C-alpha cells in the first residue's frame, strides 16, 4: 500500500530531479528506465502530472480515478502516435497550456462530472504522450519505454492526489486554490520562456 508519509518526499525528489523547463531534448532513448525518467526529467511534465492528481484529489469521488486514468489512457495513444512518427501540431504549446488549464481548474475548484474530467485530462495527455513517444529510439523496446513513462506518470498523479487529500484534512481550501494559481502561473512562465 502506498504510504501517505512518502508523498511529500517523493514529490520533493521529483521536483529536484526535474530539468529546468522541458524534458524534450530531441535525443532518442529506449527502455523502461528511460521511459520512467522522461516524465520526471522536465518541470513541464512534473507540474502537469502532479496537477492532474491534485485536481482529482481536490474534487474527490470518482474523479480521483477518472482524471488520472483518462490522462494515462490518452497519453498512451499520444505516445503511440509519437513512436510511429505521426506528427501532432503544437506539442510544446499543448504541454504548457495543460499546466495553465489544470492550475486554473484547481484554483477555481472546477468540479466537472468524471467523464468530462477524463476527457479534459485526456486531450492534454495526447501532447504529453506524443512528446514521450517521439523520444523513443527505433531499436528500443516500445512496451518497456511506455511502461516506464506510464509508471512515472501514475506515481506523479498519486503524489498530487495525496497532497490534495492531505490539505483537505487540514481544511485549507485557500491553500489549495493558491497552489492551483501557482501552477497556472508557472505554466504561463514556461509558455513565455
Amino acid at each position: 500500500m502506498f504510504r501517505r508519509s512518502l508523498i511529500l518526499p517523493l514529490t520533493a525528489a521529483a521536483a529536484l530531479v526535474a530539468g529546468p523547463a522541458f524534458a524534450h531534448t530531441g535525443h532518442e532513448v529506449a527502455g523502461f528506465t528511460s521511459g520512467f525518467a522522461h516524465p520526471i526529467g522536465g518541470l513541464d511534465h512534473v507540474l502537469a502530472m502532479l496537477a492532474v492528481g491534485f485536481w482529482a484529489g481536490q474534487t474527490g469521488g470518482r474523479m480521483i480515478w477518472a482524471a488520472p486514468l483518462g490522462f494515462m489512457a490518452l497519453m498512451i495513444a499520444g505516445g503511440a502516435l509519437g513512436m510511429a512518427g505521426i506528427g501532432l501540431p503544437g506539442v510544446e504549446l499543448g504541454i504548457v497550456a495543460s499546466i495553465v488549464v489544470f492550475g486554473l481548474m484547481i484554483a477555481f475548484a472546477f468540479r466537472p462530472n468524471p467523464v468530462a474530467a477524463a476527457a479534459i485530462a485526456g486531450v492534454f495527455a495526447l501532447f504529453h504522450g506524443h512528446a514521450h513517444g517521439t523520444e523513443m529510439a527505433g531499436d528500443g523496446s516500445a512496451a518497456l519505454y511506455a511502461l516506464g513513462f506510464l509508471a512515472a506518470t501514475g506515481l506523479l498523479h498519486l503524489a498530487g492526489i495525496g497532497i490534495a487529500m492531505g490539505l483537505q484534512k487540514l481544511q485549507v481550501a485557500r491553500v489549495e486554490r493558491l497552489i492551483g494559481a501557482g501552477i497556472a502561473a508557472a505554466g504561463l512562465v514556461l509558455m513565455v520562456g
Side-chain angles (χ1 to χ4, degrees):
M1 179 174 194
F2 189 75
R3 298 189 68 206
R4 290 184 183 190
S5 61
L6 295 176
I7 292 170
L8 288 176
L10 285 175
T11 303
L16 288 173
V17 299
F22 296 103
H24 321 126
T25 59
H27 59 81
E28 294 184 340
V29 293
F32 180 87
T33 303
S34 298
F36 188 87
H38 190 243
I40 62 172
L43 186 58
D44 54 347
H45 290 308
V46 171
L47 285 172
M49 292 171 193
L50 282 173
V52 168
F54 193 100
W55 180 43
Q58 176 191 42
T59 304
R62 293 185 310 173
M63 172 74 162
I64 288 178
W65 301 109
L69 290 178
F71 188 96
M72 291 193 292
L74 284 172
M75 183 183 68
I76 291 295
L81 291 173
M83 287 179 195
I86 299 170
L88 185 64
V91 171
E92 293 296 339
L93 182 59
I95 289 170
V96 293
S98 74
I99 300 166
V100 175
V101 170
F102 294 140
L104 290 174
M105 289 190 287
I106 294 166
F108 291 104
F110 180 61
R111 301 183 189 293
N113 70 54
V115 173
I120 292 166
V123 166
F124 289 110
L126 284 170
F127 297 108
H128 288 272
H130 193 275
H132 297 323
T134 57
E135 296 290 315
M136 167 63 193
D139 60 348
S141 169
L144 286 176
Y145 182 77
L147 186 61
F149 73 70
L150 192 61
T153 297
L155 288 174
L156 288 168
H157 288 331
L158 284 173
I161 291 168
I163 293 166
M165 293 176 82
L167 288 172
Q168 285 179 348
K169 287 187 179 193
L170 297 174
Q171 298 179 348
V172 287
R174 281 191 180 145
V175 173
E176 291 176 24
R177 291 177 179 222
L178 285 173
I179 288 171
I183 292 169
L188 288 173
V189 168
L190 290 173
M191 194 177 289
V192 172

